[in-house]
């Protein structure tokens, strides 16, 4: 241990002997002529320094006593300072231990009742912060530690849970068992294929994926509109509150009901007449728009390109939408390869004229609105020239379209699928 700068602990009387006299022991300070030896110096008994009389001896003794007193106080002050340092370190250490090593925590199962919701994509730390805000647990660290000890990090699922005030963190973790959810919050993003929707539902509800697949394949009991051939296109994207007792068929039926609400709000059946299509064809157009659009503001233009190509007869033009080919091949992405466009499928709009026989995604309300209200314009071509920023360029000129494709190639060179 270093001396910690406590040099003042030394007594002044502890000076090394060498500093008290320049001469050798038993000799005088000076020397006379060579061979003239003097008597050894004997300080006067009553003199303070051997140079004068008076009570110097008494003053010397007082001086020594004063030095001894100061020397006695210094260690005491040092001890007080040292104790203060150790005390401060001890308190800091205590705070560190109680906050990080042993974080604040309540005891027991808690009291009262709290309705607590875990939102989609929230992690253990975010959940812990919300629990602290509602005074369910004492600290975020206590909660995350209890989650780790229970190996529950990946098991925390979105939904509504019944908890209590001031619960021990370990008790709160037990109460967040997905099997105890009062309601499950599931968000289906826009533009997902039915296969993706089924997977999301199975993962977030904990119900078997095969049960969702069987329910989706059976048209009966889903409440589909009379013009719908199958569920693809009508599993409406939204956030759903699902009760644990609901079956896969119940959940899918609720999604169809949500589509019906959107269709009614948009007056889809009457709107289809304005664009000279059947209601199910509007849903197909909307599904393509949803798959092709990088931004909401481009949806109306993409819908117009589709209608312009469908209406063109001299010369006739196929839709040639990459999104439909990707659906036909079961792939995901924005660009179909040349070999992809050769696949023999009614969904291959490079090979077959007109709309595909069904929807290729489950479109949201914005895409349905664009299909019913396309933007005005003479565009026949479009390409997303900058996929990273979602920039799409539209034109009616084939040569300009080729230049736009070259821009896309430059922007995607060296990237997967580029």
């Amino acid at each position: 241990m270093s001396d910690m700068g406590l040099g003042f602990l030394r007594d002044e009387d502890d000076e090394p002997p060498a500093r008290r006299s320049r001469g050798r022991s038993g000799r005088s300070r000076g020397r006379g002529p060579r061979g003239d030896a003097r008597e050894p110096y004997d300080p006067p008994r009553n003199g303070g320094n051997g140079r004068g009389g008076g009570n110097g001896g008494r003053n010397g003794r007082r001086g020594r006593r004063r030095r001894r007193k100061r020397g006695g106080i210094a260690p005491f002050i040092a001890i007080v300072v040292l104790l203060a340092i150790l005390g401060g370190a001890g308190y800091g250490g205590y705070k560190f231990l109680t906050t990080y090593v042993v974080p604040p925590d309540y005891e027991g199962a808690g009291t009262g009742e709290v309705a607590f919701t875990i939102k989609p994509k929230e992690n253990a730390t975010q959940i812990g912060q919300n629990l602290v805000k509602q005074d369910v647990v004492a600290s975020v660290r206590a909660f995350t530690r209890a989650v780790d000890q229970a190996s529950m990090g990946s098991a925390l699922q979105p939904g509504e849970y019944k908890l209590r005030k001031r619960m021990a963190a370990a008790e709160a973790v037990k109460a967040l068992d997905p099997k105890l959810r009062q309601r499950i919050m599931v968000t289906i993003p826009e533009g997902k294929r039915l296969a993706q929707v089924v997977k999301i539902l199975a993962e977030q509800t904990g119900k078997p994926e095969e049960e969702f697949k069987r329910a989706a394949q059976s048209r009966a009991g889903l409440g589909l509109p009379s013009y719908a051939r199958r569920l693809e296109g009508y599993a409406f994207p939204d956030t759903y509150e699902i009760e644990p007792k609901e079956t896969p068929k119940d959940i899918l039926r609720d999604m169809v009901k949500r589509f019906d609400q959107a269709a009614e709000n948009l007056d889809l059946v009457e709107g289809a007449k304005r664009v000279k299509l059947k209601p199910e064809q509007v849903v197909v157009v909307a599904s393509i728009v949803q798959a092709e659009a990088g931004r909401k503001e481009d949806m109306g233009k993409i819908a117009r390109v589709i209608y312009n190509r469908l209406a063109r007869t001299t010369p006739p033009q196929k839709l040639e939408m990459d999104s439909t080919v990707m659906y036909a091949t079961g792939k995901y992405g924005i660009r179909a390869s040349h070999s992809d466009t050769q696949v023999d499928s009614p969904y291959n709009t490079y090979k077959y004229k007109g709309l595909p026989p069904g929807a290729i995604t489950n479109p949201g309300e914005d895409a349905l609105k664009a299909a019913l209200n396309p933007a005005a314009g003479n565009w026949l071509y479009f390409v997303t020239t900058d996929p990273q920023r979602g920039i799409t360029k539209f034109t009616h000129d084939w040569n300009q379209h080729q230049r736009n494709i070259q821009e896309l190639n430059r922007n995607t060179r060296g990237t997967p699928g580029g």
Side-chain angles (χ1 to χ4, degrees):
M1 179 175 177
S2 65
D3 61 16
M4 299 178 65
L6 300 179
F8 58 82
L9 288 176
R10 295 195 193 95
D11 199 324
E12 289 179 358
D13 290 337
D14 293 335
E15 285 288 322
R19 299 188 59 180
R20 293 190 178 182
S21 174
R22 286 181 172 175
R24 295 180 179 177
S25 176
R27 299 214 178 182
S28 66
R29 294 172 182 251
R31 297 183 68 175
R34 188 183 300 253
D36 184 14
R38 296 182 180 181
E39 292 294 323
Y41 175 68
D42 185 14
R45 295 182 180 179
N46 295 329
N49 54 14
R51 292 182 181 179
N55 56 359
R58 188 181 305 162
N59 290 339
R61 286 191 295 274
R62 288 177 181 171
R64 285 193 294 273
R65 281 198 295 270
R66 283 196 294 271
R67 287 195 295 272
R68 290 193 189 100
K69 288 180 182 178
R70 288 197 298 271
I73 292 173
F76 174 75
I77 294 173
I79 291 170
V80 171
V81 171
L82 185 58
L83 288 174
I85 293 171
L86 292 174
Y91 178 73
Y94 170 78
K95 290 294 290 180
F96 176 82
L97 287 172
T98 55
T99 303
Y100 296 100
V101 180
V102 184
D105 197 1
Y106 295 132
E107 294 183 0
T111 60
E113 187 174 303
V114 176
F116 182 76
T117 300
I118 296 180
K119 297 177 182 178
K121 297 184 179 180
E122 283 188 329
N123 58 36
T125 299
Q126 293 169 317
I127 294 169
Q129 291 169 345
N130 293 331
L131 287 169
V132 170
K133 287 178 184 178
Q134 293 187 239
D135 197 26
V136 174
V137 298
S139 67
V140 176
R141 185 73 186 90
F143 175 74
T144 55
R145 185 181 181 188
V147 168
D148 290 341
Q149 290 174 343
S151 300
M152 282 279 289
S154 60
L156 296 172
Q157 296 292 327
E160 186 174 298
Y161 297 82
K162 188 184 292 184
L163 304 179
R164 294 174 179 270
K165 289 279 188 181
R166 296 179 168 247
M167 301 178 74
E171 293 295 322
V173 171
K174 291 178 184 177
L176 291 174
D177 187 325
K179 296 178 183 178
L180 301 177
R181 282 181 286 185
Q182 305 299 301
R183 285 185 298 173
I184 304 165
M185 309 290 290
V186 179
T187 298
I188 305 298
E190 296 174 339
K192 295 296 182 182
R193 298 177 189 174
L194 186 59
Q196 294 172 297
V197 171
V198 164
K199 191 173 185 65
I200 293 170
L201 290 171
E203 288 176 350
Q204 297 196 18
T205 64
K207 300 180 186 297
E209 186 174 343
E210 288 302 317
E211 291 187 17
F212 281 103
K213 288 180 179 179
R214 284 196 295 270
Q217 290 168 0
S218 175
R219 194 178 186 283
L222 294 178
L224 287 167
S226 58
Y227 50 80
R229 299 182 182 183
R230 56 180 189 155
L231 183 58
E232 186 84 88
Y234 301 90
F236 197 79
D238 205 345
T239 297
Y240 294 89
E241 295 182 356
I242 301 170
E243 295 183 5
K245 65 181 181 181
E246 289 186 76
T247 67
K249 181 166 283 190
D250 293 333
I251 296 168
L252 295 176
R253 183 166 50 240
D254 287 342
M255 298 180 77
V256 174
K257 287 180 181 177
R258 181 67 187 85
F259 169 85
D260 289 339
Q261 293 173 3
E264 184 176 351
N265 292 339
L266 296 172
D267 198 11
L268 189 146
V269 174
E270 289 301 315
K273 296 176 182 177
R274 292 195 302 272
V275 292
K276 300 178 181 179
L277 292 178
K278 297 176 181 178
E280 66 267 30
Q281 291 177 313
V282 170
V283 176
V284 173
V285 171
S287 74
I288 298 173
V289 168
Q290 188 76 72
E292 295 282 352
R295 299 182 301 176
K296 175 183 174 181
E297 51 265 39
D298 291 331
M299 288 184 171
K301 291 182 178 181
I302 293 173
R304 174 52 65 192
V305 170
I306 292 172
Y307 289 129
N308 286 348
R309 290 187 183 181
L310 290 174
R312 192 174 185 186
T313 56
T314 52
Q317 186 172 359
K318 298 184 181 75
L319 284 183
E320 296 184 346
M321 295 287 172
D322 284 9
S323 58
T324 64
V325 175
M326 300 303 280
Y327 185 82
T329 59
K331 297 179 180 179
Y332 294 90
I334 62 171
R335 301 183 72 180
S337 67
H338 176 71
S339 61
D340 290 334
T341 62
Q342 305 305 305
V343 66
D344 187 14
S345 167
Y347 286 88
N348 183 356
T349 55
Y350 278 84
K351 190 169 186 178
Y352 295 97
K353 191 176 182 298
L355 290 170
I360 62 171
T361 67
N362 292 276
E365 194 160 332
D366 290 330
L368 288 168
K369 191 181 297 184
L372 291 169
N373 301 280
N378 64 346
W379 311 290
L380 286 171
Y381 312 100
F382 70 91
V383 61
T384 302
T385 56
D386 190 340
Q388 291 294 325
R389 294 188 293 168
I391 296 176
T392 300
K393 293 187 176 181
F394 297 80
T395 183
H396 70 282
D397 181 72
W398 171 254
N399 292 325
Q400 179 59 50
H401 180 55
Q402 294 306 305
R403 288 192 287 272
N404 292 342
I405 291 176
Q406 291 173 7
E407 182 178 349
L408 167 63
N409 292 335
R410 288 193 300 272
N411 289 333
T412 59
R413 188 175 294 122
T415 61

